[in-house]
Amino acid sequence: MNPAQLAPAILVLGPPLVFRAYESEFTKKYNFLKPWETPIPLKQFISTCSANVKAIFCSAVSPVTAEIIQCLPELTFVLASSIGVNHIDLLECKRRGIVVANAGSTFSDDVADMAVGLLIDVVRRISAGNRFVKAGVWPLQGDFPLAHKFGGKQVGIVGLGNIGLHIATRLNAMGCIISYTSRTMKPQVPFPFCPGINQLAANCEILIISCALTEQTHHMINREVMLLLGNEGIIVNIARGAIINEKELVKCLVKGEIGGAGLDVFEHEPNFPKELFALDNVVLTPHHGAVTEEACKNLYDLICKNLDAFLSNKLLECETVYL
Amino acid sequence: MNPAQLAPAILVLGPPLVFRAYESEFTKKYNFLKPWETPIPLKQFISTCSANVKAIFCSAVSPVTAEIIQCLPELTFVLASSIGVNHIDLLECKRRGIVVANAGSTFSDDVADMAVGLLIDVVRRISAGNRFVKAGVWPLQGDFPLAHKFGGKQVGIVGLGNIGLHIATRLNAMGCIISYTSRTMKPQVPFPFCPGINQLAANCEILIISCALTEQTHHMINREVMLLLGNEGIIVNIARGAIINEKELVKCLVKGEIGGAGLDVFEHEPNFPKELFALDNVVLTPHHGAVTEEACKNLYDLICKNLDAFLSNKLLECETVYL
């Protein structure tokens, strides 16, 4: 018997991409329960092992509901492989005194790079140009439509946490004019604060969504915000799909009521509106903002540190007690 | 008769994209000769109007050869709509005392933005992700291959002029580690100088080509340089296609001897190697680095200033006497 199997059981939900990438290393060190390896439905799987589960390790899209939590009387720790924790029932965790930890700032810079990449791509029509060239149209058709200048653009950052600040710094170096909205004004930040999303949208040509998904931010980017941004406006989302009202976004894009979008996240991943397929002014990536080989290695190290700390009752490397 | 037609004749070659975009404005102000509007072959067209042509206004890809220059005894000014002037026979211009002007730094920041956009796209697999999502593969196939981290990459800038410096500043803000090679070391620059291209390639993971195309830089990026860069190395070219030995580049990409490429320019535009069509790690754009609506307007203003200065024997806004 693998000595790791004698250790407290950790239920893996998802599984997180980092788990699949480092499965053999993880399995040597910890006693993971992997429901996807059995044909038993998840609920039944959980009920059979409920007495042993001390911790959950979950991906960004695997819900940790009150129902799951209530099945696990010994649960004291939920560890997310993501920065966002909207998929975890934080109220129930708080009620039970369960500690919740996320991936901290492991990959804030990677997510910021993706936001910048998506934005340049939409503004300068890079993916569209790539399609134009690779389809062999250039020699036949000649001119490709003009794109817009990147520098000088008014960019509104929605949520100026770690990631938002990385984005702002990068775009500032490229000559964009930054302002932001956030729950609170950040006194040390050199960019102007805007108290509300409508005002930010009205004053900007680009909105970049980098806030957490909460009850307050759910569908915060609605039709009214999009119309204030205007028909040349661009929305980039590297946070969570449901911060935008996706149905309204699709309508606005199809009707040309906004100018374009760069989206790494969607409301119902991996599914998303097929109407966006044909739009040249929309660039879509499969929720890979945080996922690079290097970030995955860093995340593996952080997860191990946190699990080791949890298992030996030490302080977590990255502890977040929400609410 | 339009009063502009009484003014000295300016032969337009190409025509430049800015000319097509602002043709009606241009035509009101200047006496342009437009060979593409007649069925007469160019050589014959030039010989019929040779006595009147005082100036040439040319695009980046329309050659101004010694033969053309020799047909035009009254020619004293060649105005390029581009930054690069490799398509103009500068020796012949010098011999004749013909002034050559380029587009100066009108769109250095736009070209730099394109370089950064192409690089993020290749490193973070944005166009590839976009194809993956839009082809509907995500829900069926699940994981998209991991990309690489952008921050911390060793980037070598080949040619640290105005554009190269804009690129360096942008990538520095994104956490890349910059070094450069150039004809001469730039004492005011905070990045380390590398005396030769081979040494730069050996020390870097990414090369960005932002130098002029000259006899010295023609095919400077050869197989040896590519192998020194290595099989994870990435080349971005926003300068001129022929600085890279394109045949060797294609071979190295197809064999996986280098890791990827982002190319806005090609050796024989608008034609380019079809072998690159299928490669996910190659992003191609149709020589649009300098071309945005805003840059086009700025360029129109600059061209008018230079033509007005030339026609009234005043100093040019942007004069470049080469060689």
Side-chain angles (χ1 to χ4, degrees):
Chain A
M1 196 181 191
N2 182 337
Q5 285 178 272
L6 300 170
I10 301 160
L11 175 66
V12 185
L13 297 178
L17 210 148
V18 64
F19 185 84
R20 288 198 298 274
Y22 287 89
E23 183 161 358
S24 66
E25 291 86 340
F26 268 131
T27 308
K28 274 179 216 151
K29 297 175 76 169
Y30 308 106
N31 179 17
F32 281 124
L33 305 179
K34 298 180 266 187
W36 65 93
E37 286 189 350
T38 76
I40 309 168
L42 180 64
K43 211 173 157 182
Q44 200 181 327
F45 181 94
I46 290 177
S47 73
T48 61
C49 61
S50 61
N52 303 319
V53 173
K54 304 276 185 204
I56 286 177
F57 176 38
C58 60
S59 79
V61 290
S62 43
V64 180
T65 60
E67 195 189 359
I68 291 178
I69 295 168
Q70 283 155 13
C71 284
L72 303 169
E74 298 299 314
L75 184 71
T76 56
F77 185 39
V78 176
L79 180 56
S81 67
S82 55
I83 302 173
V85 288
N86 54 286
H87 56 300
I88 301 170
D89 190 320
L90 298 175
L91 265 173
E92 183 63 17
C93 288
K94 193 185 177 197
R95 204 185 60 77
R96 276 269 303 273
I98 294 167
V99 173
V100 177
N102 72 351
S105 58
T106 323
F107 29 54
S108 302
D109 53 348
D110 291 301
V111 180
D113 291 340
M114 183 60 111
V116 174
L118 282 170
L119 181 56
I120 305 181
D121 197 319
V122 176
V123 175
R124 296 299 304 273
R125 303 173 52 79
I126 292 180
S127 286
N130 189 38
R131 267 195 303 282
F132 177 83
V133 173
K134 287 190 172 177
V137 182
W138 193 14
L140 306 173
Q141 201 168 303
D143 289 346
F144 179 68
L146 287 183
H148 280 287
K149 193 179 182 69
F150 196 75
K153 282 265 179 293
Q154 299 271 0
V155 179
I157 312 278
V158 182
L160 203 72
N162 227 320
I163 294 175
L165 204 52
H166 274 296
I167 296 170
T169 312
R170 282 156 170 72
L171 295 182
N172 193 42
M174 301 185 80
C176 296
I177 301 151
I178 310 293
S179 54
Y180 73 100
T181 190
S182 207
R183 274 171 301 186
T184 54
M185 197 176 119
K186 320 270 172 179
Q188 290 92 343
V189 160
F191 311 113
F193 173 70
C194 207
I197 184 67
N198 284 16
Q199 192 184 332
L200 191 72
N203 291 329
C204 288
E205 303 162 273
I206 290 161
L207 286 182
I208 301 192
I209 318 303
S210 55
C211 59
L213 173 59
T214 63
E215 268 180 38
Q216 289 72 44
T217 64
H218 183 265
H219 283 198
M220 175 176 57
I221 309 299
N222 54 25
R223 183 169 164 78
E224 189 184 354
V225 172
M226 295 179 213
L227 295 183
L228 285 167
L229 192 62
N231 64 4
E232 298 218 328
I234 291 170
I235 295 177
V236 168
N237 191 1
I238 46 72
R240 284 290 177 273
I243 299 167
I244 301 179
N245 184 330
E246 202 168 79
K247 268 194 185 165
E248 292 297 344
L249 176 70
V250 170
K251 275 192 211 161
C252 283
L253 281 166
V254 168
K255 286 190 196 168
E257 289 172 326
I258 65 168
L263 308 172
D264 188 46
V265 289
F266 306 90
E267 220 173 329
H268 308 288
E269 294 175 15
N271 297 302
F272 57 93
K274 305 285 179 284
E275 296 94 322
L276 300 180
F277 276 25
L279 300 180
D280 241 17
N281 53 338
V282 177
V283 179
L284 311 173
T285 47
H287 201 153
H288 263 229
V291 190
T292 63
E293 283 188 23
E294 295 83 347
C296 232
K297 174 68 178 70
N298 292 342
L299 183 58
Y300 167 74
D301 292 340
L302 176 70
I303 297 289
C304 289
K305 277 187 194 161
N306 270 335
L307 287 177
D308 291 344
F310 165 71
L311 293 172
S312 57
N313 291 311
K314 286 186 185 145
L315 276 179
L316 297 180
E317 187 77 11
C318 169
E319 180 177 338
T320 321
V321 183
Y322 291 89
L323 297 170
Chain B
M1 194 180 192
N2 181 337
Q5 285 177 272
L6 300 170
I10 302 160
L11 176 65
V12 185
L13 296 178
L17 210 149
V18 64
F19 184 84
R20 287 198 297 275
Y22 287 90
E23 184 161 358
S24 66
E25 290 87 340
F26 268 131
T27 308
K28 275 179 216 151
K29 297 175 75 168
Y30 308 105
N31 179 17
F32 282 124
L33 305 177
K34 298 179 264 186
W36 66 93
E37 286 189 349
T38 76
I40 310 168
L42 180 63
K43 213 172 155 180
Q44 201 182 325
F45 182 93
I46 291 176
S47 72
T48 59
C49 60
S50 60
N52 302 320
V53 173
K54 305 277 186 204
I56 285 176
F57 176 37
C58 60
S59 79
V61 291
S62 44
V64 180
T65 60
E67 195 189 359
I68 290 178
I69 295 168
Q70 282 155 16
C71 286
L72 303 169
E74 298 299 315
L75 183 72
T76 56
F77 185 39
V78 176
L79 180 56
S81 67
S82 55
I83 302 173
V85 288
N86 54 286
H87 56 299
I88 301 170
D89 191 320
L90 298 175
L91 265 173
E92 183 63 17
C93 288
K94 192 186 179 196
R95 204 185 60 75
R96 278 269 303 274
I98 294 167
V99 172
V100 178
N102 71 353
S105 57
T106 324
F107 29 55
S108 302
D109 52 347
D110 293 300
V111 180
D113 291 339
M114 183 60 111
V116 174
L118 282 169
L119 181 57
I120 305 181
D121 196 319
V122 176
V123 174
R124 296 299 305 273
R125 303 173 53 79
I126 292 179
S127 286
N130 189 37
R131 267 196 303 282
F132 177 84
V133 173
K134 287 190 173 178
V137 182
W138 192 13
L140 305 173
Q141 201 168 301
D143 288 345
F144 180 67
L146 287 183
H148 280 287
K149 193 179 181 70
F150 197 73
K153 282 265 179 293
Q154 298 270 0
V155 179
I157 312 279
V158 182
L160 202 73
N162 226 319
I163 294 175
L165 204 52
H166 274 297
I167 295 171
T169 310
R170 283 157 170 71
L171 295 181
N172 193 43
M174 300 184 81
C176 296
I177 300 150
I178 310 293
S179 53
Y180 74 100
T181 190
S182 207
R183 274 171 300 186
T184 54
M185 197 175 120
K186 319 271 172 181
Q188 290 92 343
V189 160
F191 311 113
F193 173 70
C194 207
I197 184 67
N198 284 15
Q199 194 184 328
L200 190 72
N203 291 329
C204 287
E205 303 163 273
I206 290 160
L207 286 182
I208 302 191
I209 318 302
S210 55
C211 60
L213 172 59
T214 63
E215 269 179 36
Q216 288 73 42
T217 65
H218 183 264
H219 282 196
M220 174 175 60
I221 309 298
N222 54 26
R223 181 169 166 78
E224 191 184 353
V225 172
M226 294 178 214
L227 295 183
L228 285 167
L229 192 62
N231 64 6
E232 298 219 328
I234 291 169
I235 295 177
V236 168
N237 191 3
I238 45 73
R240 284 290 177 271
I243 299 168
I244 301 180
N245 183 328
E246 201 168 79
K247 267 193 184 166
E248 293 297 345
L249 176 70
V250 170
K251 275 191 210 161
C252 284
L253 282 166
V254 168
K255 285 189 194 169
E257 290 172 326
I258 65 168
L263 309 172
D264 188 47
V265 290
F266 306 90
E267 221 173 329
H268 308 288
E269 292 173 15
N271 296 303
F272 58 92
K274 305 286 179 284
E275 295 93 324
L276 300 181
F277 277 25
L279 300 180
D280 241 16
N281 53 338
V282 176
V283 180
L284 311 173
T285 46
H287 201 153
H288 263 228
V291 191
T292 62
E293 282 187 25
E294 295 83 348
C296 232
K297 174 68 177 70
N298 291 343
L299 183 58
Y300 168 74
D301 291 340
L302 177 70
I303 297 289
C304 289
K305 277 185 194 164
N306 269 335
L307 287 176
D308 291 345
F310 164 72
L311 294 172
S312 56
N313 289 312
K314 287 187 184 146
L315 276 180
L316 296 178
E317 187 77 13
C318 169
E319 179 177 341
T320 321
V321 183
Y322 290 90
L323 296 170

